[in-house]
Amino acid sequence: MVTAAPLIAGIEIGGTKCICILARSPEEIVEQVRLDTRDPATTLGEVDAVFDRWHRDHGFASIGIGSFGPLELNRASPDFGTIVSTPKPGWSDTPIASRFEHFGVPIALDTDVVGAARAEQRWGAARGMTDLAYITVGTGVGVGALVGDRPILGRGNAEMGHMRVSRLPGDDWPGVCRFHGDCVEGLACGGAIAARHGPGPIAADWPGWAPVENALAMLVHNLVVTLQPQQILIGGGVASSQEGLIDAVRRRAVESLAGYYTARDLPDDFVIAPGLGTQAGPLGAIALGLCALQR
Ligand code: ADP
Ligand code: ZN
């Protein structure tokens, strides 16, 4: 196929893995490299080597970076493009965007989940929508929301995975968030599930899934009443591997919303898996890189 789409270098920085991707679109991926997320010097050094090679062998028109946060995204700040105060050991105050400036191409940086939302909007299950939320359930719980086609950005990026939600009756398990204990991330991230379950494989019918489903359903309820999204996508390592989780979350959210007006016109499938599957995150970096060219 002859194509005019520009070649973009992207990176999705996750708490467990970093994915470098060189692509024009979901159908035109030149190369994709998965790296384990270790300390910043090691991991970003490995990323540098991949990007240097791509720059030499292919060139690229822009760079898109989707990262776990919190991130400093205000361009007026001297710390623009830095990961700030993250619970992830060793990664607080790590400059990200400035590391790639020497390539001399436009750079877009946003959260991994805003990137994934942009990819779903461009190529996936939310095509053409201006109001949507992408939830990741993996190392952490993150939400990337577009409202009126713009990501939420106040003093900093929104961290909606840290909302507090009502618990299942009788459930007082403390949760694992270092800051809040039983916020949504503290109850539903991969580490929370592992801590609550203990060692060994987790059965699909483990009773501990119910509080995970509940926490995510309450998050969905809160997103519906605050953002009025047309579509909510749930991705990430936990959601993509636990069959039935997304359906259970949607059922619980519908029950909780109880026909309230924000929920009235929502289609039955308003909470689904990403159309791009596990590629939503990596392609999010490409979508951000394309946004950088349009700025
Ligand atoms: P990242 O957060 O780096 O983007 P993932 O979204 O793949 O990576 O999430 C990885 C996390 O998800 C790890 O903590 C892993 O243990 C957890 N995880 C993946 N699948 C499951 C599952 N079926 N049950 C519980 N935890 C899971
Ligand atoms: Zn928290």
Side-chain angles (χ1 to χ4, degrees), residues 162 177 179-180 183 185:
H162 292 268
C177 175
F179 296 95
H180 316 118
C183 65
E185 176 168 300

Side-chain angles (χ1 to χ4, degrees), residues 123-167:
W123 299 298
R127 238 174 274 194
M129 294 181 188
T130 54
D131 298 272
L132 62 136
Y134 181 98
I135 303 172
T136 184
V137 189
T139 313
V141 174
V143 184
L146 302 180
V147 179
D149 202 30
R150 295 168 69 125
I152 297 173
L153 182 62
R155 289 190 303 119
N157 64 278
E159 287 283 327
M160 292 173 274
H162 292 268
M163 283 194 207
R164 284 190 194 282
V165 292
S166 51
R167 308 280 304 268

